Amino acid sequence: MGGMIGTRWAELYPEEVSHLVLVNSSFSSLSPFYRRLRIKNYPQLIKNFVTTTPEKMEIFILSTTSNFADKWKPHFEEIVNFHKKHPVTVANFIRQLKMAGQTDFR
């Protein structure tokens, strides 16, 4: 969702945004979904989302989205605590997938 919101913000208020860094953004026509997340990672993603701990989920996320996961180690506990405080529910995950499929979410 962050990439979608950031992209839209930059479109609406270009004077407020000088750069965007989008990681695995679904709201992009720059690359198809199968290039944003390797197909081999889909089963693990689903398994982690449904049956694992926040720690294991964050390790999976960092290992699949960053070439420099070691740089995140000092912040790992903070990331996990945020995950625990603000868990992604199945309902919200489905809402995000629906939003990601839209081309205009005004």
Side-chain angles (χ1 to χ4, degrees):
M1 287 296 284
M4 294 169 58
I5 294 167
T7 300
R8 187 67 178 144
W9 193 289
E11 289 173 348
L12 294 173
Y13 308 102
E15 69 283 355
E16 294 182 11
V17 180
S18 64
H19 297 79
L20 291 174
V21 176
L22 305 175
V23 177
N24 199 20
S25 182
S26 299
F27 187 65
S28 172
S29 60
L30 300 175
S31 65
F33 74 92
Y34 55 85
R35 288 197 178 153
R36 294 189 300 263
L37 181 62
R38 292 185 177 132
I39 292 174
K40 71 176 186 154
N41 289 330
Y42 281 77
Q44 188 66 30
L45 174 65
I46 293 166
K47 177 184 174 196
N48 276 319
F49 185 74
V50 175
T51 65
T52 196
T53 66
E55 292 83 1
K56 288 182 181 179
M57 183 62 171
E58 293 302 333
I59 288 169
F60 171 75
I61 290 169
L62 289 171
S63 69
T64 57
T65 61
S66 175
N67 291 330
F68 305 103
D70 286 344
K71 289 186 177 185
W72 290 97
K73 285 184 181 180
H75 308 284
F76 187 73
E77 186 175 334
E78 181 182 352
I79 293 167
V80 170
N81 287 334
F82 184 88
H83 182 131
K84 288 177 180 177
K85 188 175 179 182
H86 305 285
V88 177
T89 64
V90 172
N92 196 38
F93 180 71
I94 291 169
R95 278 190 220 97
Q96 289 183 31
L97 285 177
K98 286 180 182 178
M99 286 290 293
Q102 295 179 4
T103 57
D104 185 10
F105 59 95
R106 281 177 255 181

